[in-house]
C-alpha cells in the first residue's frame, strides 16, 4: 500500500460522507448506509489490512433481508467510525535495509528516566510506563472522557544542538499488534516552548517485525502541531535547539493495551 492509495481512499471517504451525512440528517438512513457500504467495498484494497478487515466485516455482516431503520443506523455509524479512523491514519516510517556504503554513524542516547504525560491532563484515563533497562514502553490507551493517548517524555535541562545529525534511529524495534499499532516520535524545539502544547510528531512502526534499524530523518517532522492539530505555516523543526523528545501511543491505531520495546536508540549521521 502506498500514500497514493491511502490518499485516494481518504478522498472517497470524504465524498461518501458529503453524500451520506446529508441523507442521514434528512431521515434517509438507509441511503446513508448504502453509500457507506459501497464506499467500504471500493476502498478495501486501498487501506492497511487492519482497516480492510474492519470494513469487510461490516459489509459481510450486513443483512439485506431487513429494512429495519435501527439496523441501517447501526451500520451507518459503524462504518463512519472506521472511516474516521482511516482519515486520521498516517502511513508510518518503517525499518529498511541499510547499505554498507551509506556509512552511517550511530550515537546512542544515555539511559535516563522519562516523565509520564497521559491524557489525564485533559480528563482521560490512559496509562503508561517505561522500563529504562530494557527500553520497554507499555500501557493502555482509553477512549474514556475523550482520551486516547499515553506518552513518555525526556525533558532536557539544557538546549541540545543536534544539527550535525540527520535524525533519530531505533534499533531492534518490536511492538504489539504489529500490523495495527503505530507509534509516534515526539520532538520539541525552542520555538515549541513559545506555543502552548506544541510539538512535532513522526509516525513509525515495524509491521513486518524486521531486524533492520529504523531511521527517522528530522526532515520527516513536517509542521508543528498544537494539541494534535497541524499549525499551517509554522516553522520547520530546528535540530539545533532541541528541548524535549518522547514516545507516544495514541488512537486511532492504538486502543487498549500496547507494548513497544527496542534495543537502542539515538542520533544517526
Amino acid at each position: 500500500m502506498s500514500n497514493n492509495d491511502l490518499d485516494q481512499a481518504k478522498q472517497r471517504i470524504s465524498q461518501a460522507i458529503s453524500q451520506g451525512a446529508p441523507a442521514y440528517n434528512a431521515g434517509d438512513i438507509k441511503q446513508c448506509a448504502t453509500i457507506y457500504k459501497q464506499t467500504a467495498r471500493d476502498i478495501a484494497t486501498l487501506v492497511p489490512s487492519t482497516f480492510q478487515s474492519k470494513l469487510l466485516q461490516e459489509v459481510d455482516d450486513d443483512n439485506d433481508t431487513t429494512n429495519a431503520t435501527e439496523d441501517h443506523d447501526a451500520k451507518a455509524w459503524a462504518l463512519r467510525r472506521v472511516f474516521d479512523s482511516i482519515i486520521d491514519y498516517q502511513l508510518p516510517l518503517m525499518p529498511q535495509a541499510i547499505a554498507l556504503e551509506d556509512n552511517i554513524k550511530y550515537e546512542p542516547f544515555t539511559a535516563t528516566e522519562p516523565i509520564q504525560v497521559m491524557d489525564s491532563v485533559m480528563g482521560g484515563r490512559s496509562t503508561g510506563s517505561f522500563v529504562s533497562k530494557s527500553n520497554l514502553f507499555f500501557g493502555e490507551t482509553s477512549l474514556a472522557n475523550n482520551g486516547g493517548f499515553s506518552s513518555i517524555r525526556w525533558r532536557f535541562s539544557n538546549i541540545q544542538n543536534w544539527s550535525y545529525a540527520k535524525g533519530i534511529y531505533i534499533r531492534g524495534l518490536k511492538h504489539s499488534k504489529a500490523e495495527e499499532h503505530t507509534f509516534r516520535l515526539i520532538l520539541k524545539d525552542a520555538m515549541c516552548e513559545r506555543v502552548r502544547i506544541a510539538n512535532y510528531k513522526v509516525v513509525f512502526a515495524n509491521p513486518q517485525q524486521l531486524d533492520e534499524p529504523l531511521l527517522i530523518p528530522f526532515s520527516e517532522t513536517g509542521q508543528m502541531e498544537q494539541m494534535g492539530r497541524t499549525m499551517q505555516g509554522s516553522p520547520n523543526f530546528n535540530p539545533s535547539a532541541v528541548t524535549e523528545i518522547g514516545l507516544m501511543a495514541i488512537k486511532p491505531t492504538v486502543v487498549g493495551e500496547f507494548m513497544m520495546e527496542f534495543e537502542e536508540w539515538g542520533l544517526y549521521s
Side-chain angles (χ1 to χ4, degrees):
M1 191 196 68
S2 66
N3 268 314
N4 288 336
D5 290 337
L6 185 60
D7 288 343
Q8 185 177 352
K10 290 182 179 183
Q11 289 175 4
R12 293 190 182 183
I13 288 173
S14 295
Q15 293 172 356
I17 293 175
S18 69
Q19 298 171 0
Y24 185 97
N25 293 334
D28 195 345
I29 298 175
K30 179 180 179 181
Q31 176 65 8
C32 175
T34 299
I35 292 171
Y36 288 178
K37 285 185 289 184
Q38 185 57 54
T39 301
R41 297 186 184 98
D42 292 343
I43 68 172
T45 60
L46 301 176
V47 299
S49 58
T50 180
F51 291 123
Q52 183 178 125
S53 61
K54 291 178 181 179
L55 291 172
L56 295 180
Q57 179 180 359
E58 292 299 333
V59 173
D60 293 341
D61 286 348
D62 187 44
N63 182 358
D64 289 330
T65 62
T66 179
N67 291 320
T69 300
E70 57 268 24
D71 291 335
H72 297 309
D73 185 77
K75 186 64 60 179
W77 277 112
L79 287 170
R80 176 61 188 267
R81 285 191 288 270
V82 181
F83 288 168
D84 288 344
S85 294
I86 294 173
I87 289 176
D88 289 339
Y89 183 81
Q90 299 177 52
L91 280 178
L93 292 181
M94 297 177 284
Q96 297 182 353
I98 307 298
L100 292 177
E101 56 268 25
D102 289 341
N103 194 28
I104 295 176
K105 297 180 180 179
Y106 299 99
E107 180 185 330
F109 288 140
T110 301
T112 57
E113 291 297 327
I115 60 172
Q116 300 175 1
V117 180
M118 305 295 142
D119 57 15
S120 56
V121 298
M122 300 182 297
R125 298 179 180 176
S126 298
T127 61
S129 298
F130 186 76
V131 181
S132 296
K133 290 183 179 180
S134 55
N135 292 322
L136 173 63
F137 177 34
F138 65 96
E140 182 176 2
T141 59
S142 170
L143 302 181
N145 297 340
N146 200 33
F149 79 83
S150 171
S151 72
I152 48 175
R153 315 285 180 89
W154 287 262
R155 180 84 176 171
F156 302 117
S157 56
N158 299 309
I159 292 178
Q160 303 294 299
N161 185 353
W162 291 350
S163 59
Y164 64 91
K166 294 181 180 179
I168 307 293
Y169 77 91
I170 302 177
R171 194 192 301 274
L173 174 65
K174 305 293 181 184
H175 58 80
S176 52
K177 295 186 179 180
E179 294 187 353
E180 179 177 349
H181 285 176
T182 65
F183 298 86
R184 282 161 173 75
L185 173 73
I186 302 172
L187 288 166
K188 294 187 71 169
D189 62 12
M191 182 59 70
C192 289
E193 303 299 334
R194 303 179 185 179
V195 183
R196 182 174 179 269
I197 317 180
N199 52 42
Y200 296 87
K201 295 187 183 75
V202 182
V203 182
F204 69 91
N206 189 5
Q208 298 178 344
Q209 301 291 274
L210 300 176
D211 293 328
E212 286 79 2
L214 167 68
L215 302 183
I216 306 176
F218 291 136
S219 58
E220 290 290 334
T221 53
Q223 293 186 304
M224 188 186 298
E225 294 184 8
Q226 183 181 42
M227 299 183 69
R229 297 180 180 179
T230 300
M231 299 179 65
Q232 299 297 333
S234 61
N236 294 329
F237 172 69
N238 182 4
S240 68
V242 184
T243 61
E244 184 176 292
I245 187 171
L247 298 169
M248 173 180 279
I250 188 171
K251 64 180 181 182
T253 60
V254 181
V255 177
E257 294 183 354
F258 69 88
M259 180 278 296
M260 179 185 70
E261 60 181 340
F262 51 91
E263 298 172 6
E264 176 184 286
W265 71 327
L267 300 174
Y268 76 92
S269 55

